[in-house]
Amino acid sequence: MTPPHVPEITLRLADEAHDLWRRTEEELAEIGLPPPFWAFAWAGGQGLARYLLDHPEIVRNRRVLDFASGSGLVAIAAMKAGAASVEGADIDPFCETAIRLNAEANRVAVTFNGQDLVETDTGWDLVLAGDVFYEKPFAERLLPWFSALRARGADILIGDPGRAYLPKTGLERLATYEVPVTRALEDAEVKRTTVWRFA
């Protein structure tokens, strides 16, 4: 399928979102596996991917981390926009296969890192983060890490459709999009999604 806001990219996505989500929440909870966040093109990721494709100068020839990569949508967009290299990172082990298959389908190379990279730094030029401010404890871990990366010179771009724990200050708005989403996963059929630069 192609995400509605980024038709240039083909992904393996769930096409029956509500049924899959309900079934997997129940079934996976029984065996201790996480819900398949990687099977959906979330609004923040779609907005961020759109911005990269429309502004390739942001990523061109840069070493990029796509943090909480999920399906690899943003990582793939970064490679298509001319990044020197992109590392897709996600702690869900299923994302490794999803990112590999999706990168192959789009004829780009994306490496995978399954470690929790918060508080680490291997010298990325640009860190991309879509839909990461959904939970308070996670947001509280991210902010000092992002601040440390920014202080040493990395650029950080965030795609966010108004998640509850997005910081209220320290962000520069770069673009806003109306992104079609599925009501089965979100509270609307279109989410106003903003791409921010972490300042």
Side-chain angles (χ1 to χ4, degrees):
M1 300 172 65
T2 59
H5 206 63
V6 198
E8 302 94 323
I9 293 176
T10 300
L11 299 175
R12 286 168 173 80
L13 299 174
D15 57 0
E16 296 292 338
H18 185 266
D19 288 344
L20 174 67
W21 197 259
R22 188 183 71 243
R23 183 170 60 246
T24 56
E25 273 193 316
E26 295 164 358
E27 294 173 4
L28 293 181
E30 293 176 8
I31 55 176
L33 293 175
F37 292 106
W38 52 267
F40 305 98
W42 299 89
Q46 287 194 62
L48 195 49
R50 176 80 271 145
Y51 186 80
L52 298 178
L53 292 172
D54 292 346
H55 300 86
E57 69 280 1
I58 297 291
V59 295
R60 189 174 294 126
N61 299 323
R62 301 183 84 188
R63 186 169 168 236
V64 177
L65 171 68
D66 177 27
F67 178 73
S69 190
S71 67
L73 168 60
V74 176
I76 292 163
M79 283 304 294
K80 283 181 166 281
S85 65
V86 179
E87 182 177 9
D90 204 295
I91 59 170
D92 182 339
F94 291 105
C95 292
E96 181 172 12
T97 299
I99 291 169
R100 178 179 54 78
L101 292 172
N102 288 333
E104 287 172 0
N106 290 277
R107 297 181 179 159
V108 296
V110 175
T111 62
F112 178 77
N113 190 319
Q115 303 300 309
D116 180 350
L117 295 181
V118 177
E119 299 181 5
T120 70
D121 185 356
T122 65
W124 307 288
D125 302 310
L126 174 65
V127 175
L128 306 169
D131 292 289
V132 296
F133 288 101
Y134 55 86
E135 184 180 74
K136 186 176 182 182
F138 193 46
E140 289 174 344
R141 289 186 67 213
L142 292 181
L143 292 175
W145 181 47
F146 284 176
S147 294
L149 292 170
R150 185 73 196 104
R152 69 96 174 135
D155 285 325
I156 300 163
L157 300 188
I158 298 163
D160 190 274
R163 302 286 181 216
Y165 300 102
L166 180 74
K168 305 296 186 229
T169 60
L171 300 175
E172 173 193 355
R173 188 181 72 79
L174 299 178
T176 300
Y177 303 103
E178 300 294 326
V179 179
V181 294
T182 175
R183 188 176 282 279
L185 300 176
E186 300 281 11
D187 56 358
E189 292 180 356
V190 174
K191 294 289 281 187
R192 180 174 290 258
T193 299
T194 301
V195 175
W196 304 94
R197 176 181 280 121
F198 188 83

